[in-house]
């Protein structure tokens, strides 16, 4: 009999920056340490690409426990994609959800980078996705958390090329001003917009399932981005066409990219607010559920991944049940009729990502 509800084991992934202590803290571990595994990929069916690092077979792929032992979640889904994904087809014709979901924690500012828009990816790269990203800020361990987002002092394309070629980091820094962020805020990063996450931020990151990235800054704090990981194997001149060279003041980029969610839908013991909707992307929806007493949430035949951001609970779907602590994650098949959340000793906050519409209370 096919399972509809899976508790997902932690799935830490190497990246070319240091961090991760904030993820340990979210999991309430006694020892919180920054390493080269600053991300946890939730229910991932995408393999990590880490040029320049020793290869790890199937790095990034999520596993689940089944009656025959551990299996990759993507293989379980391929056994019956309609049951798990509810008929959602990836743009390239395969059965995959249209998103990648991560917990990310930065001990250092990340390297300045950019991702292509979906339109550019389809027209020029012949890829089904660009890489729009969305952030839900969970916590900060610095007094003034920030991101870089868009050019506040935009260079010309020619000047930007010289800055990158010469790795003139002072000139690169002069193109940006810090854009303040706070826990609880929601941001989106459009394709084409140069950006970098500042140090000391723990966030949920949801993105289109693509690894298309142009890295402008080759080294930070002794961590070098190898040549094969800089320009998508295309060369700098090609990648210069991806950037948005518009000048955005901090106020303008904040108004454009900081999302203001609607008022929550409130019911006794439960509320839900849509953080990301179809106005930003057709690939995924993001909701925040706050549960203060046992509640049954009707499912709408969409594949769901979720993370418990606060509290502890038991979750039921039919006869299946799992216990989830703060920081734990789960997958719920599209075939599930509903799920019941029972808080264990206090309020529970759960953020879910779906390839279709949100869950809603019966």
């Amino acid at each position: 009999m096919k399972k509809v509800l899976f508790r997902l084991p932690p799935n830490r992934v190497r990246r070319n920056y240091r961090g991760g202590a904030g993820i340990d803290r979210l999991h309430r571990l006694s020892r919180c340490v920054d390493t080269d595994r600053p991300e946890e990929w939730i229910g991932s069916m995408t393999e990590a690409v880490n040029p320049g690092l020793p290869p790890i077979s199937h790095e990034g792929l999520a596993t689940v426990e089944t009656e025959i032992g551990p299996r990759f979640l993507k293989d379980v889904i391929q056994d019956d994609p309609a049951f798990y994904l509810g008929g959602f087809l990836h743009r390239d014709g395969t059965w995959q959800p249209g998103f990648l979901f991560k917990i990310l924690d930065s001990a250092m500012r990340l390297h300045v980078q950019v991702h292509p828009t979906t339109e550019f990816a389809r027209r020029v790269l012949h890829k089904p996705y660009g890489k729009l990203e969305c952030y839900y800020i969970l916590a900060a361990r610095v007094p003034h958390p920030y991101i870089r987002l868009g050019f506040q002092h935009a260079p010309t394309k020619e000047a930007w090329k010289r800055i990158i070629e010469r790795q003139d980091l002072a000139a690169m820094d002069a193109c940006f001003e810090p854009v303040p962020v706070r826990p609880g805020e929601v941001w989106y990063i459009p394709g084409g917009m140069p950006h970098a996450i500042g140090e000391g931020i723990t966030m949920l990151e949801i993105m289109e399932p693509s690894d298309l990235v142009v890295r402008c800054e080759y080294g930070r704090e002794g961590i070098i981005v190898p040549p094969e990981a800089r320009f998508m194997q295309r060369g700098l001149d090609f990648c210069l066409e991806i950037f948005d060279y518009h000048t955005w003041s901090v106020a303008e980029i904040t108004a454009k990219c900081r999302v203001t969610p609607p008022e929550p839908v409130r019911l006794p013991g439960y509320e839900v607010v849509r953080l990301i909707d179809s106005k930003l992307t057709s690939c995924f929806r993001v909701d925040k559920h706050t549960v203060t007493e046992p509640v049954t949430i009707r499912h709408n035949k969409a594949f769901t991944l979720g993370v418990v951001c606060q509290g502890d609970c038991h979750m039921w779907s039919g006869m299946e049940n799992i216990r989830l602590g703060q920081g734990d994650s789960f997958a719920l098949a599209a075939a599930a009729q509903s799920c019941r959340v029972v808080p264990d000793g206090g309020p529970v906050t759960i953020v879910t990502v779906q390839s279709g519409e949100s869950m809603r209370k019966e």
Side-chain angles (χ1 to χ4, degrees), residues 160-296:
W160 188 235
K161 178 181 179 180
R162 289 194 299 272
I163 288 170
I164 295 173
E165 285 181 329
R166 299 172 184 175
Q167 285 297 281
D168 186 343
L169 300 186
M172 187 177 294
D173 289 345
C175 295
F176 302 96
E177 294 178 19
V179 178
V181 299
R182 293 189 300 177
E185 289 182 341
V186 181
W187 291 76
Y188 86 100
I189 314 301
M193 200 72 77
H195 63 280
I197 297 167
E199 62 273 11
I201 297 174
T202 307
M203 65 169 64
L204 302 183
E205 183 181 33
I206 309 98
M207 65 195 71
E208 295 183 37
S210 146
D211 206 28
L212 298 171
V213 57
V214 177
R215 294 184 174 92
C216 319
E217 206 172 3
Y218 300 165
R220 278 197 59 72
E221 299 188 18
I223 298 176
I224 305 300
V225 177
E228 59 269 30
R230 296 172 186 170
F231 304 127
M232 305 188 304
Q233 310 294 318
R234 298 280 184 154
L236 176 57
D237 286 329
F238 176 90
C239 292
L240 290 170
E241 301 300 320
I242 294 172
F243 289 86
D244 177 348
Y245 293 96
H246 184 79
T247 290
W248 300 89
S249 70
V250 170
E252 288 171 336
I253 202 68
T254 299
K256 176 180 174 62
C257 294
R258 187 175 65 192
V259 178
T260 302
E263 284 296 308
V265 175
R266 293 185 174 92
L267 296 163
Y270 172 72
E271 70 175 43
V272 59
V273 59
R274 174 65 55 86
L275 301 181
I276 299 293
D277 61 16
S278 58
K279 294 177 184 176
L280 287 181
T281 175
S282 62
C283 294
F284 51 82
R285 310 287 184 269
V286 183
D287 292 302
K288 183 176 73 168
H289 309 260
T290 303
V291 183
T292 56
E293 61 185 57
V295 65
T296 298

